């Protein structure tokens, strides 16, 4: 990751409301941040229709969050790129992707709820580590998202998945419930590593099952407990 050395800034926030902003609710670039009992809502994109995340951690940031709720964001509720993010009792509603875990991210959350989001409740790219305990992902609606080829827009694709994992993601999912997501509860593209323990589907997702698409061989997460 190339994240050696001391972080540039250390900050903390407690019992704060962040509302009705453009670009991003709270951004941490290469910083250490401790966020406690915050609500972030109504985050709109910039004038160029970019960004719009609730919380964005990037540039080798190290962020911890407790008892935080994010509601109504133009882009991902939680966005992590080349950074570490640890959380307890977090929730995201009405976002375009509840949580987006991108290249070089290491995310661990105990107690996570993503509901009424669009495109994906949780999405993780290859080269990421995601550990979730006691999570519920539900009622994700279909929405078009850009399809990029070598960083250039090549149209759009419709997504509406509870959880969507790209090839090479490392997953540790324990006690996760998926319910009433419009297209599929959980999709792994080709391959991933880790484990799925007590990952179950309810409601309209109960008969959909967990999907592995375009599998060409390679590792897949182990399953245990109530995971089908």
């Amino acid at each position: 990751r190339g994240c050696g050395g001391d972080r540039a800034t250390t900050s903390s926030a407690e019992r704060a409301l962040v509302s009705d902003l453009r670009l991003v609710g709270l951004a941490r670039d290469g910083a250490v941040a401790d966020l406690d009992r915050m609500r972030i809502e109504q985050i709109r994109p910039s004038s160029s229709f970019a960004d719009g995340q609730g919380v964005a951690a990037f540039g080798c940031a190290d962020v911890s969050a407790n008892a935080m709720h994010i509601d109504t964001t133009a882009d991902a509720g939680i966005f992590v790129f080349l950074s570490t993010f640890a959380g307890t009792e977090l929730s995201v509603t009405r976002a375009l992707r509840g949580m987006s875990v991108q290249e070089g991210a290491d995310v661990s959350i105990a107690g996570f709820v993503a509901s009424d989001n669009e495109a994906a409740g949780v999405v993780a790219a290859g080269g990421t580590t995601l550990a979730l305990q006691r999570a519920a992902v539900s009622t994700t609606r279909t929405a078009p998202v850009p399809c990029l080829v070598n960083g250039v827009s090549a149209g759009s694709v419709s997504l509406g998945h509870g959880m969507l994992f790209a090839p090479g993601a490392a997953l540790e999912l324990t006690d996760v419930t998926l319910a009433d997501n419009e297209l599929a509860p959980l999709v792994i593209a080709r391959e991933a590593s880790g484990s799925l323990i007590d990952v179950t589907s309810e409601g309209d997702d109960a008969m959909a099952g967990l999907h592995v698409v375009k599998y060409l061989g390679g590792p897949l997460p182990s399953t245990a407990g109530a995971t089908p």
Side-chain angles (χ1 to χ4, degrees), residues 130 132 170-174 193-197 199 220-224 227:
L130 173 64
L132 290 179
L171 312 171
E172 298 293 339
L173 308 183
T174 304
S193 61
S195 63
L196 309 179
I197 302 172
V199 178
L220 289 173
S222 63
T223 61
T227 305

Side-chain angles (χ1 to χ4, degrees), residues 107-204:
V107 174
S108 60
I109 300 176
F112 178 72
V113 175
S115 62
D116 296 320
N117 297 297
E118 293 186 331
V122 177
V123 59
T128 62
T129 300
L130 173 64
L132 290 179
Q133 296 181 2
R134 295 185 291 103
V137 180
S138 64
T139 54
T140 308
R141 300 181 302 277
T142 301
V145 296
C147 181
L148 302 180
V149 176
N150 296 325
V152 178
S153 177
S156 64
V157 60
S158 290
L159 300 178
H161 302 72
M163 308 182 87
L164 178 61
F165 303 119
L171 312 171
E172 298 293 339
L173 308 183
T174 304
D175 192 13
V176 175
T177 302
L178 303 153
D180 301 320
N181 298 289
E182 191 164 351
L183 291 187
L186 186 152
V187 173
I188 296 172
R190 296 213 309 262
E191 62 182 57
S193 61
S195 63
L196 309 179
I197 302 172
D198 292 325
V199 178
T200 58
S201 301
E202 299 178 352
D204 290 343

Side-chain angles (χ1 to χ4, degrees), residues 63-152:
V63 177
S64 62
N66 172 61
M68 182 169 63
H69 179 62
I70 300 170
D71 179 69
T72 311
T73 62
D75 201 341
I78 299 171
F79 176 85
V80 187
F81 172 67
L82 283 173
S83 296
T84 299
F85 185 98
T88 54
E89 309 307 330
L90 310 181
S91 60
V92 180
T93 55
R94 293 183 286 191
L96 180 63
R97 297 170 299 159
M99 178 165 59
S100 178
V101 181
Q102 295 300 310
E103 179 186 357
D106 187 340
V107 174
S108 60
I109 300 176
F112 178 72
V113 175
S115 62
D116 296 320
N117 297 297
E118 293 186 331
V122 177
V123 59
T128 62
T129 300
L130 173 64
L132 290 179
Q133 296 181 2
R134 295 185 291 103
V137 180
S138 64
T139 54
T140 308
R141 300 181 302 277
T142 301
V145 296
C147 181
L148 302 180
V149 176
N150 296 325
V152 178

